[in-house]
Amino acid sequence: MSLYRDEAIVLRTHKLGEADRIVTLLTREHGKVRAVGKGVRRTTSRFGSRLEPFMHVDVQLSTGRNLDVVTQVETVGSYGRQVCEDYSLYTVGTVMLETAERLVEAEREPSVQQYRLLVGAVRALATRAHAPGLVLDSYLLRALAVAGWAPSFTDCARCGAPGPHHAFAPAVGGAVCGACRPPGAAAPAPETFALLAALLSGDWAVADASAERHRAEGNGLVAVFCQFHLERRLRSLPMVERV
């Protein structure tokens, strides 16, 4: 039996048998890992509550043939209760977890940047550092950029012509000039472009000072951009849109 230890954030769980649970983790050094938590659904379990979505943990696992086995868990950041007690935080957080699992498809392939982005976003959400919608959009834009789909909000995404420009086309990669603008491209307000650029770069002074109408417009653009490049709809995203 080979043991290893890593920090992780819990992405998803589902039941196994009468008392066990399969836990999907995004770890810092080992990428995405699926493991069995034996007996964690029993009330006498020592660490069942630590293996819930949004929890940031230090976990020890033993290597298995198909699934690893959780042998020890220590809490690093207890974000599960803070997020799940507020419906708006929960719906936003669920989109983050689903996106992370979608972007890190292969198991056991390290993805340190995606791990750090997710941990920081969940922490900001749980501590209410910024408006939930802004945290979500910032996370989605940065996670897509790390995955290789960095949007442009100033220069033209197709020809590189310096901006600012007045059209946005997700299929092209963001802002587009008049010559490159495809049919049906959106025409966001200049303030919306500034907000999205701030969310991508982490300029929270600009993001926090933005108007609600520009946040709403930016949210729609981010959702379309994200789902275009992920090539399928995020199942949890409509819940946020209804909030």
Side-chain angles (χ1 to χ4, degrees), residues 6 8 60 62-63 77 117-118 151 160 168 180-181 183 208 214 230 234:
D6 206 345
Q60 179 178 277
S62 64
T63 304
L117 274 174
L118 182 61
F168 183 89
C180 297
R181 178 177 182 171
D208 290 335
H214 300 133
L230 290 177
L234 292 168

Side-chain angles (χ1 to χ4, degrees), residues 22 60 62 65 80 98 111 122 136 142 152-153 177 183 201 206 224 234 236:
I22 295 177
Q60 179 178 277
S62 64
R65 179 174 299 178
E98 183 183 353
S111 186
V122 170
L136 174 60
R142 293 184 185 190
S152 173
F153 298 120
C177 65
S201 65
V206 172
V224 172
L234 292 168
S236 52

